[in-house]
Amino acid sequence: MKNVIKSLVVLSVSLGLMLTSYSPNEAVAKTKKETQHDTFKKLKLNTSMTSVAEVMYGKNYKKHLCDRSEDEVKVNLLCSGEVYDSNKYDKNGKLNYLKYEFYLYPNPKVPNESGNPDEVTFQTVRMFLVFKSKEHSKQLKLVEKHWFDSSVVNSKRVYNNKKIKKGMTKKQVDAVLTGTGIGKHEAVAYIDYSKVGKQTGKQQPVFPKADKTYLYSVLNQKENVLYSFETKYSRTKKEYIVSYVDTRTENNE
């Protein structure tokens, strides 16, 4: 009897070790979208173009950095993805600062609203990255990273006699929605210009603190009004508030 009990104990311990060392998720291959999202989460703001390439492509990252033919300034950029620049120079043609936007991870399930299949926008990709340099520098740093998930459907509804307004807290938004909470976000953005400075055109740079925003879309109960709104963390209120709202009404007559 003692031997039987001893055997059962050993078997139980062995099974326990096997279960703790083996995750059922390991047997399920990640989808392309999940793998891309994992990469997005690993990207750190204020790191260099080279560091971003290492995270995205691993040991072979150097093959994915190049002087792109459409670029006027010879700096190493990501070879893949659609790129747009908003580099600025002074009246003498001297470099003021560099800024590049990269549209990456095309989403095949999202048609282009313009009807031009070659046009790439943030609606047609899953990841959008922005790099900028300090004034009079070519050292680019990652200052924005955005993730878009077009598959997200928010099941919440705005009560027909209520509205979502700028300045609302998440609790106030929850109060005008059916159910509990404000539902799933379809996009998230991490932004930090505190190290290199944010500027438009030839303006002097400002150095705002890092921000994180969430984008939501939700219909009213009649499903003829669509609210697209962003929430951003307020350091004064110490909570997320609605920083932007776009309301579209469909005429069902």
Side-chain angles (χ1 to χ4, degrees):
M1 185 66 177
K2 289 183 179 179
N3 290 334
V4 172
I5 294 173
K6 185 177 180 181
S7 299
L8 288 172
V9 171
V10 171
L11 181 59
S12 298
V13 171
S14 299
L15 285 171
L17 290 172
M18 287 174 66
L19 290 171
T20 54
S21 62
Y22 173 76
S23 172
N25 293 330
E26 291 176 0
V28 180
K30 288 190 175 181
T31 64
K32 188 175 183 179
K33 175 181 164 184
E34 289 171 334
T35 302
Q36 291 171 345
H37 191 231
D38 286 344
T39 300
F40 169 80
K41 290 188 291 185
K42 291 175 184 176
L43 295 177
K44 295 182 179 180
L45 295 181
N46 292 304
T47 55
S48 67
M49 187 78 67
T50 300
S51 298
V52 169
E54 283 188 87
V55 172
M56 291 180 64
Y57 304 109
K59 294 180 180 180
N60 296 321
Y61 74 92
K62 290 182 180 179
K63 295 180 180 179
H64 297 272
L65 291 171
C66 57
D67 294 331
R68 297 181 67 136
S69 59
E70 66 266 39
D71 187 42
E72 297 176 358
V73 183
K74 296 303 177 185
V75 291
N76 277 335
L77 303 175
L78 297 174
C79 301
S80 60
E82 192 77 12
V83 61
Y84 298 94
D85 76 75
S86 51
N87 302 333
K88 292 299 173 185
Y89 305 85
D90 62 22
K91 60 183 179 180
N92 298 317
K94 187 176 180 181
L95 177 67
N96 194 9
Y97 63 85
L98 297 178
K99 187 176 182 182
Y100 295 91
E101 300 175 356
F102 289 86
Y103 295 81
L104 298 148
Y105 300 158
N107 187 349
K109 294 183 179 181
V110 179
N112 198 313
E113 293 180 357
S114 69
N116 180 0
D118 297 323
E119 184 180 357
V120 179
T121 67
F122 66 86
Q123 292 102 335
T124 63
V125 296
R126 292 192 177 112
M127 187 166 75
F128 170 55
L129 304 179
V130 180
F131 293 82
K132 186 184 177 295
S133 72
K134 289 183 178 180
E135 279 199 306
H136 315 302
S137 171
K138 290 185 180 180
Q139 295 182 354
L140 290 160
K141 301 292 184 181
L142 180 63
V143 291
E144 297 185 34
K145 67 172 189 174
H146 303 250
W147 178 261
F148 307 97
D149 189 349
S150 62
S151 67
V152 169
V153 177
N154 197 329
S155 61
K156 307 296 179 183
R157 293 290 181 265
V158 179
Y159 292 118
N160 289 331
N161 61 337
K162 303 290 183 179
K163 293 181 180 179
I164 297 176
K165 299 178 182 179
K166 186 176 179 180
M168 279 183 162
T169 64
K170 289 182 73 173
K171 185 176 181 180
Q172 289 172 323
V173 174
D174 180 21
V176 303
L177 296 177
T178 58
T180 303
I182 62 176
K184 296 179 180 178
H185 63 270
E186 62 191 55
V188 61
Y190 297 79
I191 302 170
D192 188 0
Y193 285 84
S194 63
K195 303 293 190 299
V196 303
K198 186 174 186 178
Q199 56 202 125
T200 303
K202 297 177 181 179
Q203 294 178 353
Q204 291 297 310
V206 294
F207 298 85
K209 292 182 179 180
D211 274 322
K212 183 179 180 182
T213 62
Y214 294 93
L215 175 67
Y216 301 84
S217 292
V218 61
L219 291 162
N220 67 339
Q221 287 178 304
K222 291 181 180 178
E223 299 191 349
N224 63 346
V225 179
L226 175 67
Y227 293 89
S228 296
F229 64 99
E230 288 183 353
T231 62
K232 180 186 291 187
Y233 186 76
S234 168
R235 292 181 177 83
T236 54
K237 294 186 177 181
K238 298 190 183 304
E239 61 181 319
Y240 280 89
I241 64 167
V242 176
S243 56
Y244 165 84
V245 185
D246 178 54
T247 307
R248 298 184 185 182
T249 304
E250 181 180 340
N251 188 352
N252 289 335
E253 295 181 358

